[in-house]
Amino acid sequence: MEKSSSNETQTLTSKKELLDCTEGEDCQENGLLVKNPKSTLQLVEDGNKVHPSQGDKGEAGQISNGYSVVQSPVPCNGIGDGEDVQCTAPAATTTTTTTTSTTCGVEAQPQLLELEERETWSKKMDFLLSVIGYAVDLGNVWRFPYICYQNGGGAFLIPYTIMAIFGGIPLFYMELALGQYHRNGCISIWRKICPIFKGIGFTICVIAFYIASYYNTIMAWALYYLISSFTSELPWTSCKNAWNTVNCTNYFTNASITWTPHSISPAEEFYTRHILQVQRSKGLDDLGGISWQLTLCLLLIFTIVYFSIWKGVKTSGKVVWVTATFPYIILFILLIRGATLPGAWRGVVFYLKPDWQKLLATEVWVDAAAQIFFSLGPGFGVLLAFASYNKFHNNCYQDALVTSTVNCMTSFVSGFVIFTVLGYMAEMRNEEVSEVAKDTGPSLLFITYAEAIANMPASTFFAIIFFLMLLTLGLDSTFAGLEGVITAVLDEFPHVWGKRREWFVLGLIIACFLGSLTTLTFGGAYVVKLFEEYATGPAVLTVVFLESIAVAWFYGINQFCRDMKEMLGFTPGWYWRLCWVAISPIFLLFIICSFMSSPPDLRLFDYNYPYWTTIVGYCIGTSSVICIPIYMAYRLIITPGTFKEVYPPPIILLSQCLNARSTHQTVICLGCCTLCWSR
């Protein structure tokens, strides 16, 4: 295709080629079948290159049984060596009814599509910091250290590294490449890859809504702590407050006090009885009222989020220069401070001491796979959205390696930040580190670490910067999660929301705030735990599993690699191909099966979740994934023609393959048609 100037557009199909075609008829010229010739696709120059993505290049090529026919000798499904063999139904099955592809042929667009020049990042660092800020979140600080010491300490780094190399990083790279090449959000991108899987995009949007409904509540807790820290004496250092009980034991101020099994630290009572107020709730069946303090904190957080993302990546790309870099400054300060505390070495030894026997346990490998997956974060639509704003020839391969390495190293260093403090607490309590490190999840930050900070010199200063760090870690991830939804909807409905981004973002923020109200109740912590375990984990794993199958096996690994060569100038090697085709899907299926076979036994504080909450949890997770089969059924229903016309019987496909001109072509055709029928 010829290059055009930055102010010119060029149609993919010339007018001369379409003179003999009338509106509503199928025109076939030189092997290219065009539906509705007046529906031409105009492309706008991107940077220095006019780029028709793979979906655009095949936009017009549909034949009557729903399979794509293109002029270039690209075999169906991207599998083969370019022989002149097409994955088509025989002429006997062709009727006058023209249908839209229900599988991996791209959707025909009856209207004129004009692609306006897409917004791009102001600087390359804006993109890198946005991706790093998204990938490095609160889970890096609290989840990795706990998972590491629970699964063999230093020995856990072996399965963690293996799962990162063969599972997490290839999937991370794949999403960046898809987003950058096709330049679309998580919904409309499937028109160019495999339309029948478009439900994946809607599933991602539902999951993002669930995450926004509970994740920001955790930041509201951190904001409440931050506001409470602006005092000369931190409020969780004393047992003389209105919310304290008789079991409150402040062993830091009185060395003669003995820590007993019934003792409760001031920090724990501040968190449970003042911030969360769980004593005013009986559990999920009686959540109690809404905390007005947390409601105001959450309202402030959503206000910050709105004004950070309402104008697009031009504004959010500037905000991340603060929110993505500030946590690293604080982590470095806290690491130095923790290393100078008495007993810090005990925590480091506990963190890294290898237990090689743990490597024989299946659950260790499951935890390693889950940790690297949720740490890097493919499947949330964010990487697709962020990469879609890159220049077409941006080196996303290098970006994937850099950002994933930074993310993994951040998790590892965060372990030292946490465990030096846990060793200090164990020294003060005269207990083993394992007894001090029993808290998991948010409790590790809001109880254990907050208590240690409160008893350091200059405790107010360290408390302020620590909770500021938590806020910035969370804000980055919220920016990214919502941007994934915004990009998806604006790309899918450009004529409705394209010029009304600010209003759509406002509506989305209000919806997320209203969806968070149950987590702001006195029993809201129980709701957060339920959503954290069921609403995101298995659903996102299912999404990425189907995404990897759709790209590698339906769109075709060879076609995907050709796209990447056009974009990057080189073809991915056999290692990446093997991971995308087999290893990464198996890696995901392994985690999904492990989760389904043993659902988590939920417990928070002294509350054991009743059995019915497991059913509710599965219903929440299913409510998002159900979009995928629903959309598949919808595509089949709206496709004109009978089922046999859309999906020719295999015996007819077999007969045409056997009549091929050579044995080599027969083998290619058989494999191709088998895959087409499997769709």
Side-chain angles (χ1 to χ4, degrees):
M1 179 175 288
E2 297 179 357
K3 295 182 179 180
S4 62
S5 64
S6 59
N7 295 324
E8 296 177 342
T9 59
Q10 178 176 332
T11 56
L12 188 63
T13 307
S14 67
K15 294 182 179 179
K16 183 177 180 180
E17 294 173 345
L18 302 174
L19 289 177
D20 298 330
C21 302
T22 60
E23 184 176 359
E25 294 179 354
D26 298 335
C27 304
Q28 185 169 7
E29 300 205 7
N30 300 324
L32 177 64
L33 190 64
V34 181
K35 173 66 177 174
N36 193 357
K38 291 187 178 181
S39 302
T40 57
L41 181 64
Q42 292 184 329
L43 299 171
V44 178
E45 184 180 42
D46 172 32
N48 295 321
K49 175 180 175 63
V50 177
H51 163 58
S53 69
Q54 174 61 23
D56 300 330
K57 287 184 282 189
E59 189 87 28
Q62 307 295 333
I63 69 172
S64 61
N65 65 347
Y67 299 123
S68 301
V69 179
V70 294
Q71 183 176 1
S72 60
V74 178
C76 174
N77 206 48
I79 298 175
D81 57 1
E83 292 283 344
D84 187 19
V85 179
Q86 302 295 340
C87 182
T88 65
T93 65
T94 305
T95 67
T96 58
T97 302
T98 301
T99 64
T100 303
S101 170
T102 62
T103 54
C104 289
V106 296
E107 290 180 345
Q109 298 291 328
Q111 73 275 15
L112 179 66
L113 294 179
E114 293 185 0
L115 302 179
E116 297 182 358
E117 186 173 1
R118 190 174 183 83
E119 182 182 16
T120 57
W121 299 98
S122 299
K123 298 178 181 178
K124 175 67 174 287
M125 281 301 297
D126 292 357
F127 167 70
L128 292 177
L129 289 176
S130 295
V131 174
I132 291 173
Y134 157 67
V136 178
D137 66 349
L138 296 174
N140 292 75
V141 178
W142 79 52
R143 195 172 191 273
F144 177 83
Y146 173 78
I147 292 293
C148 186
Y149 85 74
Q150 187 185 47
N151 290 288
F156 177 75
L157 298 177
I158 295 176
Y160 180 78
T161 303
I162 291 174
M163 291 299 180
I165 293 174
F166 293 103
I169 296 177
L171 292 170
F172 189 86
Y173 179 25
M174 182 186 75
E175 281 211 355
L176 288 182
L178 284 174
Q180 183 171 306
Y181 184 83
H182 294 289
R183 305 178 68 78
N184 281 110
C186 62
I187 298 177
S188 54
I189 194 173
W190 292 101
R191 287 205 306 263
K192 303 177 179 181
I193 298 177
C194 200
I196 202 170
F197 284 97
K198 194 174 181 180
I200 290 177
F202 295 105
T203 295
I204 290 173
C205 292
V206 175
I207 294 172
F209 173 76
Y210 287 155
I211 294 174
S213 297
Y214 79 84
Y215 188 82
N216 293 285
T217 299
I218 300 176
M219 287 195 291
W221 301 344
L223 180 57
Y224 199 168
Y225 265 91
L226 176 63
I227 296 172
S228 302
S229 299
F230 287 94
T231 58
S232 57
E233 180 181 354
L234 296 176
W236 57 89
T237 59
S238 170
C239 290
K240 300 177 182 179
N241 303 290
W243 57 80
N244 293 126
T245 66
V246 295
N247 290 325
C248 182
T249 304
N250 192 351
Y251 56 91
F252 279 96
T253 58
N254 192 341
S256 62
I257 293 180
T258 303
W259 187 264
T260 68
H262 300 288
S263 298
I264 302 176
S265 68
E268 181 175 350
E269 290 199 343
F270 179 81
Y271 176 57
T272 59
R273 299 180 62 84
H274 182 64
I275 300 292
L276 304 180
Q277 302 182 63
V278 293
Q279 74 277 8
R280 302 175 65 178
S281 169
K282 296 180 181 178
L284 287 175
D285 52 350
D286 182 12
L287 295 175
I290 294 178
S291 170
W292 65 267
Q293 298 96 330
L294 292 179
T295 302
L296 291 178
C297 290
L298 186 63
L299 183 62
L300 178 58
I301 287 171
F302 273 124
T303 302
I304 296 172
V305 171
Y306 174 72
F307 286 107
S308 298
I309 65 175
W310 69 324
K311 291 293 185 181
V313 296
K314 295 291 186 183
T315 55
S316 63
K318 298 298 181 290
V319 175
V320 295
W321 280 82
V322 176
T323 57
T325 57
F326 182 76
Y328 287 96
I329 298 173
I330 304 306
L331 280 175
F332 180 74
I333 294 173
L334 294 176
L335 177 62
I336 299 300
R337 183 68 187 100
T340 60
L341 293 172
W345 63 272
R346 295 176 58 186
V348 173
V349 170
F350 185 80
Y351 174 45
L352 295 179
K353 183 179 179 180
D355 183 358
W356 302 110
Q357 292 297 321
K358 288 279 190 178
L359 297 180
L360 302 178
T362 304
E363 58 268 18
V364 173
W365 294 84
V366 174
D367 285 345
Q371 173 60 29
I372 190 62
F373 173 81
F374 289 113
S375 181
L376 292 176
F380 292 91
V382 174
L383 300 177
L384 291 173
F386 280 171
S388 72
Y389 298 112
N390 278 334
K391 296 291 194 302
F392 180 66
H393 292 297
N394 173 65
N395 191 345
C396 61
Y397 170 71
Q398 185 182 64
D399 296 343
L401 295 181
V402 170
T403 53
S404 57
T405 301
V406 169
N407 177 71
C408 295
M409 291 303 299
T410 302
S411 298
F412 182 63
V413 173
S414 296
F416 289 97
V417 174
I418 297 296
F419 275 91
T420 52
V421 171
L422 293 181
Y424 164 64
M425 291 189 63
E427 185 82 10
M428 295 295 101
R429 288 187 184 182
N430 291 320
E431 291 184 329
E432 294 296 325
V433 179
S434 58
E435 292 298 316
V436 177
K438 290 187 295 185
D439 291 324
T440 62
S443 297
L444 184 63
L445 303 179
F446 293 117
I447 297 177
T448 309
Y449 207 90
E451 181 180 355
I453 287 177
N455 293 278
M456 295 179 185
S459 59
T460 298
F461 168 75
F462 285 108
I464 291 173
I465 64 171
F466 176 71
F467 291 112
L468 269 177
M469 180 191 73
L470 297 186
L471 279 174
T472 53
L473 284 172
L475 284 172
D476 283 335
S477 299
T478 298
F479 296 160
L482 294 181
E483 185 60 50
V485 177
I486 295 165
T487 299
V489 175
L490 266 58
D491 286 348
E492 181 67 11
F493 307 104
H495 302 300
V496 179
W497 296 110
K499 302 297 184 181
R500 303 180 181 90
R501 177 187 170 97
E502 294 87 350
W503 290 105
F504 175 75
V505 175
L506 179 61
L508 179 62
I509 292 292
I510 292 174
C512 292
F513 178 77
L514 295 177
S516 303
L517 290 180
T518 56
T519 64
L520 300 174
T521 59
F522 301 137
Y526 305 132
V527 180
V528 170
K529 181 74 172 177
L530 183 67
F531 271 82
E532 187 180 13
E533 294 291 341
Y534 287 101
T536 56
V540 173
L541 290 169
T542 303
V543 162
V544 185
F545 173 72
L546 293 176
E547 181 182 298
S548 61
I549 293 296
V551 172
W553 290 96
F554 285 78
Y555 183 64
I557 190 63
N558 286 351
Q559 181 60 56
F560 180 53
C561 291
R562 279 191 290 270
D563 294 346
M564 297 186 68
K565 183 176 182 179
E566 177 188 353
M567 182 171 62
L568 302 178
F570 60 88
T571 303
W574 64 266
Y575 157 73
W576 296 106
R577 292 175 179 236
L578 183 62
C579 287
W580 289 326
V581 170
I583 298 178
S584 293
I586 293 173
F587 155 85
L588 291 165
L589 191 62
F590 175 60
I591 311 175
I592 294 171
C593 293
S594 299
F595 180 88
M596 299 300 293
S597 62
S598 56
D601 185 17
L602 298 186
R603 175 184 172 86
L604 184 63
F605 308 130
D606 294 326
Y607 177 70
N608 292 308
Y609 283 65
Y611 177 77
W612 58 266
T613 57
T614 302
I615 301 175
V616 172
Y618 278 124
C619 289
I620 294 173
T622 306
S623 65
S624 58
V625 179
I626 198 67
C627 295
I628 300 174
I630 287 177
Y631 188 83
M632 288 181 174
Y634 165 75
R635 289 286 304 180
L636 293 174
I637 291 171
I638 67 171
T639 302
T642 65
F643 186 81
K644 288 186 178 181
E645 290 169 348
V646 180
Y647 295 98
I651 188 64
I652 300 178
L653 296 177
L654 178 63
S655 64
Q656 181 168 350
C657 288
L658 295 177
N659 292 327
R661 290 172 294 183
S662 68
T663 303
H664 187 203
Q665 292 182 358
T666 299
V667 173
I668 295 175
C669 183
L670 285 173
C672 179
C673 292
T674 300
L675 288 171
C676 287
W677 174 253
S678 69
R679 305 178 204 169

